[in-house]
Amino acid sequence: MTAKPARTLVTSALPYANGPIHIGHIAGAYLPADLYVRYLRARKRDVVWVCGSDEHGAAITLRARKEGTTPRAIVDRYHAEMQEAFSGLDIAFDHYDRTSSEEHHGFAQEFFLELLEKGAFTEETRKQFYDPQEKQFLADRYIQGTCPKCQDERAYGDQCEKCGSALSPDELIDPKSTLSGSTPEMRDTTLWYLPMDRHESWLKTYLEDGVLDGEQHHDPKSWKAHVTGQCKSWVDGGLQSRAMTRDLDWGVPVPVEGADGKVLYVWLDAPLGYITATRNWAKKNGADWAPYWKDKDTQLVHFIGKDNIVFHCIIFPILLKEHGGYLLPHNVPANEFMNLEGDKISTSRNWAVWAKEYIDDFPGRSDEMRYVLASIMPEQKDAEFTWEDFQSRVNNELADVLGNFVNRVVVLTSKYFDGKAPSASGTWTSTDEALRELMASTPAAVGDAIERYRFRDALQHAMGLVRAGNKYLTEEEPWKVMKTDAQRTADILSLALQITANAAIVLAPFLPRTSEKIATALGTSDLPWDAAGGDLVPTGQPLGALPILFEKVTDEQVEVQRAKLGPDASQEGLRDVETEKPETSFDDFQAMDLRVAEVVAAEKVKGADKLLQLTVRTGYDERTVVSGIAEHFKPEDVVGRKVTLLANLAPRKIRGVVSQGMVLMASTEDGGLRFVTPDEGAEAGDIIR
RNA sequence: GGCGAGGUAGCUCAGCUGGUUAGAGCGCAGGAUUCAUAAUCCUGAGGUCGAGAGUUCAAGUCUCUCUCUCGCUACCA
């Protein structure tokens, strides 16, 4: 593993195409990958970085239905929007693809079939209802009919809500599809499962020892603790079979006869998108994709957020290994989450800094955001972004330390040496030597940190060189020395210029635009990483014009940004809510028996985080109701409250406790819960109608 | 509930296999300086390393218990 890989394939988690990109995404899976890849490119290593939009899955069809449009329209919109967001922050993929493309469908189907032939899946054939009109198999809850026990006409395929009996769809009398209303047919259907338990043994060795097929594959110690920790907990806990297909009409169709209305599970489909993207990259560039996924000298690295660990470290490796011939990841440097101004980032609550909005508000200032995110990247624990911190880092570190240093050097040089790099005498003081040593060692220090996925550390090392430059100028005082010793002044400024040129190289992954500006002014553009460490600016080099590198962020700008957080005022009253359910009848409403009840006792249900066991008084009895509100209310908070009770709901055993009814709750926009409380004066037992 | 990862200076975070007086940046206090974007540099104050117990010559670093935060997962809405 110490040997340099012949080539590296880098992937970033495919962003899900049903919402815009925010800084949490950027800091999690895209900026670190971008830094890593820019570094490798600067070292002239063979590296390809692919990504793309993940455009399948139930969430997208639901969103389309909600907005009254098609899934295609949704993914087209976000595919374009996400690409804009990435390029705004100079996130420079080699190829950005999408999973709804023909190429991807073709490849994913081919891959699935090969796995099928190899016996990677277990098949379960059973009879299931099929809607000929909608051309898909129906999940149990999409079928309604008459309950064989109580004759209620609105029983679902899995349960009759009226009498509470558990049903199977074929027991229903006169079943109907809830999608089209048509009568479904019984058809044979096959479900494909990935039996992950078969793979526990080699996975354990792979994850714990980094050994695969009897060979050392990677150094497990180089993986982050939270990544190996979570993987081991999964494997040790025993892996379950997982269905690899879904009954949906939006996705990669299962390429098997009779599997109409079935698509590949998104977690089978999406990671294969990495391979499709690599193939399409190769096609575009006249290259061969295969070595990037199949050659043993290739290093495969997945950049993701912590919520994706299991899929990338367990499920996808199983699929790749079962297929055979493909490489398994050498590292999965998952980041933790980014919080914002003391709260979790939330798309629905608009508690986020949107990449696109940032670029609109701070045009041309992508380096600033890249710098701040790299400084606070959630590498081993959740991190916190605040606009005040953003301001302070941009102003103090970028503008004052880096921008001002570069400016000092340029101004002094133009003042004393006519804007040309002065000629150094070649004899150095001990102070000079110490600084030259730091200059020589910095590229390796930065590079090592990057190769260990420690980007914050790397940035610290790079900035350390700039800080040392400031210290050097202040201590050597060339503006004083110039009065007595022009050659010494030349030596000082010459070294300061070399420091500047070196800083431009080691900072380039983080600050591509700024580094380019500096390098252009010093005439050191296009130097590879390996040139750094020594003298780069040739004597006599005329310095180009160098504008102010960083503007300060004002208090007003901070205020404006903070005010943007949270629900949009102009959208008030227009909540992003579920569409109304289909019209119902008065009789159906009458079927529900709603009553005022009073909570007389409450306790947590053992072994469940979300459940409270409530004892409620209805005025004519006392009964037990299990309610999933424990995360929002403590038992003592609810005792004595008047609540709205659905009294005639079929009893149901929940976590071992029989629940006789349901307490009605309003769910708030931010995901909270509120009791539906009757007005003052209502008493337990009052009927609601 | 099970599992995983975190809880270190006012703030944001380092501290890699246990080993000298626990570090950085910002902020704060004092000073130096003026080439520079009122920028820079130096010095200092500030921490019972979440709580408690244990192993060890030695623990932020290992073990156990408890507690808080985040994630995965189960039960639910």
Side-chain angles (χ1 to χ4, degrees), chain A residues 425 502 548 558 652:
Chain A
S425 66
N502 272 275
I548 291 291
V558 169
R652 190 162 175 175

Side-chain angles (χ1 to χ4, degrees), chain A residues 104 150 416 423 451 469 541 629-630:
Chain A
H104 178 67
C150 71
Y416 299 142
S423 165
E451 289 188 39
Q541 168 76 40
I629 59 174

Side-chain angles (χ1 to χ4, degrees), chain A residues 43-94:
Chain A
R43 298 222 48 188
K44 306 291 180 196
R45 301 262 189 86
D46 184 353
V47 55
V48 172
W49 179 23
V50 296
C51 191
S53 310
D54 174 12
E55 307 189 319
H56 296 139
I60 284 168
T61 60
L62 285 176
R63 192 185 184 98
R65 224 170 264 182
K66 206 150 114 181
E67 296 187 12
T69 181
T70 61
R72 169 56 64 190
I74 298 280
V75 301
D76 282 350
R77 181 167 91 223
Y78 284 114
H79 179 69
E81 198 174 296
M82 293 192 299
Q83 280 186 292
E84 232 179 287
F86 287 131
S87 71
L89 286 173
D90 299 316
I91 301 292
F93 306 111
D94 287 302

